[in-house]
Amino acid sequence: MNDDIIYGFALAIAAALLGSYLFIILFTEYTFLAGIQILNTHGQLGKLIALGAILDLAVFLGLLYYKKDQMARGVLFGTIVLGILTFFV
């Protein structure tokens, strides 16, 4: 695998984590870890991951704008992996 694809995959995971963190901090009254625990007990963790993955779209479009096609391919792969993960969580 190309290093750019691996970097893009890592960017997708990092963007999803950042999006999940921002969602919990901005829209709930809980801390990040408490929010994850509460959403996990209510069976809503997959929805949190999906909401966090919205930032992947901005990362993907930014990489396409700067002609980083291989990294954008890694972001797409990471988003697909996150989508599959939401089915199992």
Side-chain angles (χ1 to χ4, degrees):
M1 285 179 63
N2 195 351
D3 285 341
D4 287 339
I5 295 175
I6 294 170
Y7 293 145
F9 180 81
L11 265 173
I13 302 300
L17 283 173
L18 178 65
S20 298
Y21 175 79
L22 289 174
F23 177 77
I24 289 175
I25 295 300
L26 295 176
F27 297 111
T28 66
E29 64 272 1
Y30 305 114
T31 63
F32 182 64
L33 292 178
I36 287 179
Q37 290 172 348
I38 290 169
L39 288 170
N40 191 21
T41 58
H42 292 287
Q44 303 294 321
L45 195 57
K47 292 180 182 180
L48 176 69
I49 295 170
L51 283 172
I54 292 173
L55 279 182
D56 287 346
L57 178 64
V59 172
F60 179 75
L61 292 175
L63 289 172
L64 286 180
Y65 179 78
Y66 289 111
K67 308 268 191 258
K68 302 284 186 177
D69 293 339
Q70 293 296 319
M71 287 179 76
R73 189 177 293 178
V75 170
L76 184 62
F77 177 65
T79 306
I80 290 169
V81 168
L82 286 171
I84 292 170
L85 181 67
T86 60
F87 285 121
F88 295 112
V89 173

